[in-house]
Amino acid sequence: RLSHQWSTKDVRHQVAQIVADEVAAANVELDIKIFPSKSLFKPREQYRPLSRGQLDMTVFPLSYAGGQQPSFNLTLMPGLVKNHDHAARLSSSPFMAALQEKMAEDDVMVLVHGYLAGGFVGKEKCITSPSDVAGLQTRAAGKSFEQMLVGAGASIASMASSEIYSAMQTGVLDAANTSSASFVSYRIFEQVACYTPASDIALWFLYQPLLMNKSTFEGLSEEQKSALLKAAAKAESYYLEEAKKQDAASVKVFQEAGVEIAEMTTEDFAAWQAIAQETSYKNFVESVPNGQALLTMALAVK
Amino acid sequence: MNIARDQKQILLIGFQNTTNWLSEVSGRIASLMILGAVLLTCQMIFVRFVLNASTVWQTEIVVYLMVGATLLGLAFVQKHKGHVNVDLLPIWLNYRSARILAIFTGLTAITVTAVCLFYGFEFWHLVHKRGWTSDTVTAVPLWIPYLSLPIGLGLLLLQLIADWLETLLQQISKAGM
Amino acid sequence: MDPLSLGLVIGIITILVLFSGISVAIGLLTVSAIFLFIFDGVRSLELIPEILFGKLDSFALLSIPMFIIMGASISSTRAGADLYEALERWLTRVPGGLVISNLGACALFAAMSGSSPATCAAIGKMGIPEMRKRGYPDEIATGSIAAGGTLGILIPPSITMIVYGIATETSIGRLFLAGVVPGFLLMGLFMAWSIYATWAAGGRSAMPQTSYSWRERLEILPRVLPFIAIILGVLYTMYGGVATPSETAAVGALLCLIVAMIIYRLTSFSALWNVLRDSTKESVMILFIIAAAGVFSYMLSSLYITQSIAEWISDLDVNRWTLMIAINVFLIIAGFFLPPVAVILMTAPILLPVITGAGFDPIWFAVVLTINMEIGLISPPVGLNLYVINGIAPDISLRTILVGSLPFVACMLIAIALLCLFPSLATWLPDAVMGQAL
Ligand code: NA
Ligand code: NA
C-alpha cells in the first residue's frame, strides 16, 4: 500500500505509478496499490503508520516529520540547495546517508530520492531580495522559511495552502512562497502581479522522496527486492527530469496569465542566505543535537 | 447480607455522582476552551489586520484548543444525552426487547470506547516518551494536546459505564417486580 | 469477497447498527473497528485514536462551533421576535402577512446561524404561538417554521457547507455564496405556498386585523439594525480582506455575543453560560461525528471500497441526468434517517469523483445536496426540525407538524428541479464575486 497527498496528475503520483507499473511488469507477485489525494491518511500523518508498517510506502515531504526527527528539518532549509543538479548530488552525499541513518531508527528507508523547487509570488510587487518582503503579510511553506522571512521583516500569516488563493484575492495575504506545482494547481497566477520562480538559483527546495517501511522491504524475496530497486532507479531519473520541467512549466503558465516574471540575482541569493544563517540555520543548530555536524555535511556538497 | 448490599448501593451512587461531577467539570473546561479559541482567533485577526504583525502561533493553538474541547466535552455531551442517535429499532420493538437492546448497545459503546482509550493512551505515551513536537516554529510539545485523547475518552468511558449501570439497574428492578 | 459485495455488507451492517439507538458517532466507530479488525488485523485498531485526533486537527473546523455560538447567542434573546415583528409591521397588507414575516425572519436569521434547528427555535419560539393566536391553521404555523428553519444550512453561513468544503476540498467562501440565491428562491417558494394555503384554508381570520401606523413601522426599525450590523460585519470580514472564511466565524461569534450582551442585555453570568454550554453541546456532538466519520472513511478506503464503488458507478455508463436523479433519490433516503453531517461525510468521498466525472460542478452539487439534507430535516422518522417544533409547541401533534411540512418538501423538490434546469442559480453569485470557478 502506497499513500500520498497529490492528485493523479501530479509528478509525484507519476513517480509512484512508475514504480508500481515496473514492479507489476517484472511479474514478481508484488502488487502496489496507490492511494492518491490523501484518500488514506492526511499528508502529515503518513510517517508514523509508515514507520509502524501499517503503511508500506509513501511519497512524503520529509520535513513534515521534523517534529519527530528534528534533523529532517534540513530537507527544507533556505538556500541549502541551489538547483536541481545540486539537489541530485546532495541526494547521494554523506549528508543524505546520515539522514537515512535517522530514518532507519524509525524503520524507514528511501526508495526514490527527489527534490522539488518553488518560488515566491507577490500580490502587488516582485519578491526578489529580502527588503522586498518587509512589512508584507506572507505565507511561507515550512518553519525555516518562516524564520528567515521574519528575519527579513515580513509578517507571517499561517494558513493551509488551499487558503492561499482566497487570502490573496481578498487581500489578507500580500506574498506567498510554496512549490511551483502548488502555485499552478491552486491557480495562484490569477491573483498575483509577480512571480519569482526557481531558475538557475532558487531558495526553496523540498526533499520529497518515495519512502518505504524497511522491515517490509527486507521481508521481500530477492527477486522482488531487485525488481523494486530497478523500478525505483527508473522512477528517480524520471523524477529529476520532471522536477526541472515543472519550474519551466509554471513560468509558462504565469506568463500566459500576464504575470510579471522576476529573477533572483546572485546578490539577492547571498542576502537571503545571510539572513538564513542568522535565523533558521542558527535555530536549527541550537535546537538539534549534532545539528552543526549535519549542516556542515550538507554545506560541504558542492 | 443487607449491609453488604447497602454498601454496594452506596459505592454505586458514589461512582455515579463522581462521574457526573467529572463530566460537568470537563464540560465547563471544554466551553472555556471554545471561548478561548474565539478570543484567540479575534486576537490573531487584530494583530494581522490592524497591527500588520506576524501571527505564527495562533492558528495552531486555536486548533489544539478546539480538539481538546471536543474530546474533553464528549463525556459532558453523553451525560446530557446530546450525542445524536437514530432509535428506529427501539421504537419498533416492544418495551422489553428495547431495554435488552439498550443494554447491548451500551455494552458495545463501552467496549469500543475502551479500545479507543487503550490505543489512545498508548499513542499519547509514545508521543510523550519520544518528545515529539509539532513541525512549526512554535514546536508545541505534542504530548500536551494529545493528552486530551486519554483524558477525554477516559471520562467518556466512565460516563458510558454510569449510564449503562443505570439502564441495567432499572431493568433488574423492573424484572424483580 | 470482492470490495463491492463487501461494501454492500458493510452498508447493511452500518444501517442496522445506526438504527439500534447507539449514538451515530460511536456506531460509526463500532462498524469501523469491527471491519478493520477483521480485514486489516488487530494492529490497525492502533490507528483509530490517531485518526480521531487527526480529523479534528484542522483549522477549518473551527468555524463550526463559532457559527453555532452566533446562532445560539442571538436566539437566546428576543431578537427573533423583533425580526418578524418588524417585518410584519411592514407587510400587514399582504395576505398571510404574519407567516410571510416569519419566513422572512427565518431567512434573515439563517444569515447569522449555521444550523437549522437553531434557526427553527429562534423564530418559532415567538412566531408559532403568535400565528396560532391570530388564527393561522396549526399545519401552516408549524410547517412554515420547520421548513423556514432549514434555510439555516442553505443561506450562509452553513455548517453542512463547511463540512462539505472540508470533505471535498472546495472553497468554503464559494460554497457560502452559492447558497444565497437558492436560499432566497426557496424562501420565495415557501412564501408562495404559505399564502396560497392560508387563503385556501379560508384564512379570513388570519388576515390582518391590526394595521400599523407609519410611526409604529418606523419605530421598530432600529431593532433590526443589530442584525444588519452583524451580517454586514461578517460579510466585510470575509470578503473585504480582513480574514479568511474560517477565521471570519470567530468574528461573527464575538459580534453576536457582544450584541446579545449590550443590546439585548444578556449580561447575567448564568445566561451567558447557558449560551456557551448549549453551543458546546451541539459543537461537540457534530465534531465527534466528523471525527468518527473520518475513521469510517479510512476503513472504507483501506478496504478499497470507496474506490471500487466510484469505479463501478462510472463504469455503469448511464445518462448523466439518470445518474443525478439516482444520486438525489439516494440522498433523500439517506437524509430520512441520518443527520446531514453524517450523510455528507459518508457519501462525499464516494460521490465527488462520480459527480465531477459526469461533468457536474461540485459547488452546484453542494447546493443540491444541501436541499436534499433540508428535506431530511423535516421528514420522518428522524427530522430534527420536527422535534424542535414539537418542543416549542408540545400541544400540536407530530403528525400535524408533519402534514404541515409535506408541501414544503414539494417546494424543495421544485427548487432542486429548478437548479438542475438553471445551474447558474447556484454558480452565478460565486462566479460574480470570486471570479470564474477553478
Ligand atoms: Na445559515
Ligand atoms: Na428525516
Side-chain angles (χ1 to χ4, degrees):
Chain A
R1 303 206 300 181
L2 189 160
S3 144
H4 67 73
Q5 69 192 79
W6 298 283
S7 80
T8 49
K9 288 183 207 111
D10 195 279
V11 53
R12 287 154 284 194
H13 176 80
Q14 306 302 336
V15 168
Q17 193 66 57
I18 289 175
V19 173
D21 291 347
E22 290 289 312
V23 169
N27 217 357
V28 288
E29 288 178 2
L30 193 60
D31 176 30
I32 300 174
K33 221 172 225 173
I34 303 178
F35 294 80
S37 321
K38 51 199 140 172
S39 55
L40 203 54
F41 293 103
K42 280 176 76 179
R44 285 169 193 272
E45 281 149 21
Q46 298 171 107
Y47 190 75
R48 204 180 91 86
L50 178 77
S51 91
R52 295 200 140 196
Q54 282 141 341
L55 177 65
D56 304 311
M57 300 161 122
T58 176
V59 190
F60 181 74
L62 195 60
S63 70
Y64 283 179
Q68 299 177 28
Q69 290 282 6
S71 54
F72 293 171
N73 285 319
L74 267 185
T75 60
L76 176 58
M77 218 21 120
L80 205 60
V81 185
K82 287 165 197 72
N83 54 50
H84 287 286
D85 291 319
H86 185 216
R89 289 196 294 280
L90 212 60
S91 295
S92 55
S93 70
F95 157 69
M96 198 55 80
L99 283 189
Q100 278 174 291
E101 266 172 44
K102 288 281 174 199
M103 290 181 228
E105 287 175 14
D106 298 328
D107 199 17
V108 168
M109 60 179 276
V110 180
L111 270 188
V112 179
H113 292 285
Y115 272 93
L116 287 182
F120 285 88
V121 289
K123 185 165 170 66
E124 308 282 342
K125 57 174 183 177
C126 295
I127 313 286
T128 49
S129 73
S131 59
D132 292 329
V133 296
L136 296 190
Q137 283 293 340
T138 312
R139 189 267 182 195
K143 76 180 208 178
S144 55
F145 274 81
E146 288 184 352
Q147 288 163 340
M148 178 187 75
L149 286 164
V150 167
S155 297
I156 299 299
S158 54
M159 63 183 69
S161 46
S162 54
E163 281 197 302
I164 296 178
Y165 183 93
S166 67
M168 283 253 162
Q169 181 177 40
T170 57
V172 172
L173 273 188
D174 305 312
N177 125 272
T178 188
S179 70
S180 309
S182 294
F183 277 138
V184 175
S185 64
Y186 288 116
R187 302 174 73 91
I188 306 297
F189 49 83
E190 291 174 2
Q191 296 300 337
V192 296
C194 185
Y195 176 43
T196 313
S199 52
D200 295 338
I201 39 173
L203 274 178
W204 197 93
F205 270 88
L206 174 60
Y207 181 55
Q208 321 187 40
L210 172 56
L211 301 175
M212 184 166 182
N213 181 279
K214 206 158 178 266
S215 301
T216 310
F217 180 78
E218 279 156 6
L220 296 175
S221 73
E222 285 308 317
E223 299 90 71
Q224 286 172 326
K225 278 186 202 169
S226 77
L228 203 50
L229 290 177
K230 238 172 92 186
K234 185 166 172 193
E236 191 164 314
S237 55
Y238 170 85
Y239 202 177
L240 179 60
E241 286 315 305
E242 282 301 309
K244 290 178 186 171
K245 283 187 209 156
Q246 293 255 304
D247 301 330
S250 71
V251 171
K252 205 170 152 226
V253 171
F254 274 75
Q255 254 167 353
E256 277 167 10
V259 176
E260 183 186 347
I261 307 293
E263 214 165 304
M264 223 174 252
T265 63
T266 327
E267 292 80 55
D268 292 333
F269 184 83
W272 282 112
Q273 211 175 18
I275 294 176
Q277 292 277 9
E278 288 306 305
T279 54
S280 25
Y281 288 22
K282 193 167 150 226
N283 237 296
F284 175 80
V285 169
E286 280 168 3
S287 63
V288 183
N290 199 25
Q292 184 60 54
L294 279 169
L295 183 62
T296 314
M297 279 165 98
L299 290 171
V301 180
K302 291 297 162 201
Chain B
M1 262 300 271
N2 261 341
I3 295 171
R5 178 181 266 181
D6 282 351
Q7 272 179 341
K8 268 187 198 162
Q9 200 98 40
I10 288 166
L11 262 178
L12 183 68
I13 291 170
F15 169 73
Q16 285 179 327
N17 287 346
T18 315
T19 305
N20 285 341
W21 182 79
L22 281 173
S23 298
E24 281 301 323
V25 170
S26 61
R28 277 178 195 243
I29 296 173
S31 299
L32 290 177
M33 287 168 92
I34 290 180
L35 187 64
V38 175
L39 297 177
L40 192 54
T41 311
C42 292
Q43 185 264 2
M44 169 170 76
I45 296 169
F46 180 82
V47 168
R48 190 181 58 215
F49 186 69
V50 181
L51 308 179
N52 193 28
S54 283
T55 49
V56 178
W57 53 274
Q58 284 91 338
T59 40
E60 199 180 355
I61 305 300
V62 163
V63 169
Y64 291 143
L65 279 173
M66 285 308 312
V67 182
T70 307
L71 290 165
L72 282 180
L74 290 178
F76 173 71
V77 178
Q78 173 63 31
K79 176 172 178 276
H80 291 275
K81 307 281 175 282
H83 290 299
V84 64
N85 64 350
V86 184
D87 47 1
L88 281 184
L89 228 51
I91 289 173
W92 180 71
L93 292 171
N94 65 30
Y95 182 80
R96 216 183 111 80
S97 319
R99 301 300 294 207
I100 294 171
L101 181 66
I103 289 168
F104 183 72
T105 53
L107 207 55
T108 311
I110 289 172
T111 314
V112 171
T113 309
V115 169
C116 293
L117 172 62
F118 174 77
Y119 289 114
F121 178 80
E122 208 184 55
F123 183 46
W124 170 79
H125 182 70
L126 179 85
V127 169
H128 184 63
K129 195 178 69 190
R130 298 264 186 100
W132 287 350
T133 64
S134 59
D135 60 330
T136 58
V137 175
T138 331
V140 177
L142 284 178
W143 68 268
I144 301 172
Y146 278 105
L147 191 57
S148 58
L149 267 177
I151 293 181
L153 291 171
L155 290 170
L156 175 64
L157 182 63
L158 287 179
Q159 188 63 50
L160 283 169
I161 293 175
D163 290 352
W164 184 73
L165 287 174
E166 182 98 26
T167 327
L168 194 66
L169 286 179
Q170 276 175 8
Q171 178 65 20
I172 289 171
S173 69
K174 280 262 159 48
M177 284 196 294
Chain C
M1 205 186 303
D2 73 295
L4 275 180
S5 3
L6 182 59
L8 192 66
V9 172
I10 293 177
I12 293 168
I13 291 182
T14 307
I15 290 169
L16 283 178
V17 169
L18 290 185
F19 285 3
S20 72
I22 201 167
S23 68
V24 170
I26 293 186
L28 289 175
L29 281 179
T30 308
V31 177
S32 315
I34 291 172
F35 284 94
L36 280 174
F37 177 77
I38 296 175
F39 290 94
D40 279 1
V42 65
R43 285 197 56 216
S44 63
L45 297 181
E46 276 176 19
L47 293 167
I48 294 179
E50 280 181 77
I51 298 173
L52 279 178
F53 193 97
K55 279 293 152 183
L56 296 172
D57 186 359
S58 143
F59 190 77
L61 284 179
L62 166 78
S63 43
I64 290 178
M66 306 294 121
F67 283 133
I68 290 175
I69 291 179
M70 274 178 84
S73 52
I74 290 297
S75 64
S76 67
T77 67
R78 54 164 287 107
D82 279 357
L83 198 56
Y84 83 71
E85 229 182 284
L87 285 168
E88 207 234 337
R89 289 192 190 182
W90 287 84
L91 294 172
T92 41
R93 286 177 205 289
V94 184
L98 190 58
V99 65
I100 301 297
S101 310
N102 270 291
L103 281 167
C106 281
L108 278 181
F109 193 87
M112 268 182 309
S113 162
S115 100
S116 288
T119 311
C120 230
I123 307 300
K125 256 187 307 189
M126 307 289 207
I128 293 177
E130 190 65 26
M131 280 193 272
R132 296 176 75 196
K133 209 170 78 192
R134 303 245 198 115
Y136 283 83
D138 285 352
E139 283 85 359
I140 295 173
T142 53
S144 63
I145 298 288
T150 66
L151 295 174
I153 56 168
L154 187 57
I155 294 176
S158 156
I159 287 168
T160 56
M161 293 280 196
I162 295 170
V163 172
Y164 179 89
I166 292 169
T168 62
E169 299 216 302
T170 30
S171 152
I172 291 170
R174 201 172 266 283
L175 287 170
F176 277 4
L177 287 171
V180 175
V181 175
F184 284 97
L185 168 77
L186 209 45
M187 180 193 78
L189 288 171
F190 291 167
M191 285 179 173
W193 165 256
S194 303
I195 293 174
Y196 170 76
T198 312
W199 174 78
R204 289 276 166 267
S205 58
M207 289 299 148
Q209 290 144 350
T210 40
S211 62
Y212 296 95
S213 67
W214 278 100
R215 192 195 146 91
E216 284 171 312
R217 289 184 183 178
L218 292 172
E219 200 173 64
I220 197 161
L221 280 186
R223 290 208 240 155
V224 192
L225 283 180
F227 281 87
I228 312 281
I230 291 169
I231 294 171
L232 288 181
V234 168
L235 284 177
Y236 173 68
T237 312
M238 187 159 2
Y239 298 104
V242 181
T244 64
S246 351
E247 296 164 0
T248 300
V251 177
L254 195 65
L255 273 178
C256 284
L257 277 173
I258 290 172
V259 164
M261 284 168 71
I262 295 178
I263 299 183
Y264 295 101
R265 312 263 170 231
L266 190 77
T267 42
S268 85
F269 181 78
S270 67
L272 280 174
W273 165 246
N274 281 341
V275 169
L276 208 53
R277 188 197 56 198
D278 292 345
S279 311
T280 305
K281 262 195 256 172
E282 195 178 338
S283 317
V284 169
M285 181 266 284
I286 292 177
L287 290 170
F288 191 30
I289 294 180
I290 291 176
V295 177
F296 187 76
S297 65
Y298 169 80
M299 181 269 292
L300 288 185
S301 184
S302 177
L303 304 186
Y304 224 69
I305 290 164
T306 315
Q307 299 86 333
S308 307
I309 295 179
E311 266 169 39
W312 174 70
I313 297 179
S314 57
D315 285 349
L316 279 182
D317 194 31
V318 290
N319 175 293
R320 63 197 284 261
W321 289 107
T322 318
L323 182 70
M324 185 44 70
I325 290 169
I327 288 175
N328 270 293
V329 170
F330 169 75
L331 287 173
I332 290 178
I333 294 175
F336 281 166
F337 301 105
L338 296 171
V341 173
V343 176
I344 293 175
L345 288 168
M346 287 160 70
T347 58
I350 297 176
L351 288 183
L352 194 77
V354 176
I355 295 293
T356 48
F360 292 105
D361 178 19
I363 302 275
W364 169 85
F365 179 66
V367 176
V368 172
L369 172 67
T370 303
I371 299 179
N372 275 311
M373 295 302 103
E374 290 185 62
I375 294 176
L377 287 171
I378 56 170
S379 65
V382 186
L384 217 44
N385 283 18
L386 299 179
Y387 299 150
V388 173
I389 304 287
N390 198 220
I392 295 171
D395 58 315
I396 302 180
S397 76
L398 211 51
R399 198 179 162 276
T400 310
I401 304 174
L402 184 63
V403 170
S405 304
L406 277 179
F408 293 96
V409 171
C411 293
M412 293 176 186
L413 293 175
I414 293 172
I416 293 177
L418 285 173
L419 275 164
C420 291
L421 290 174
F422 310 105
S424 58
L425 284 173
T427 53
W428 169 76
L429 189 61
D431 284 353
V433 175
M434 303 184 75
Q436 280 297 312
L438 297 190

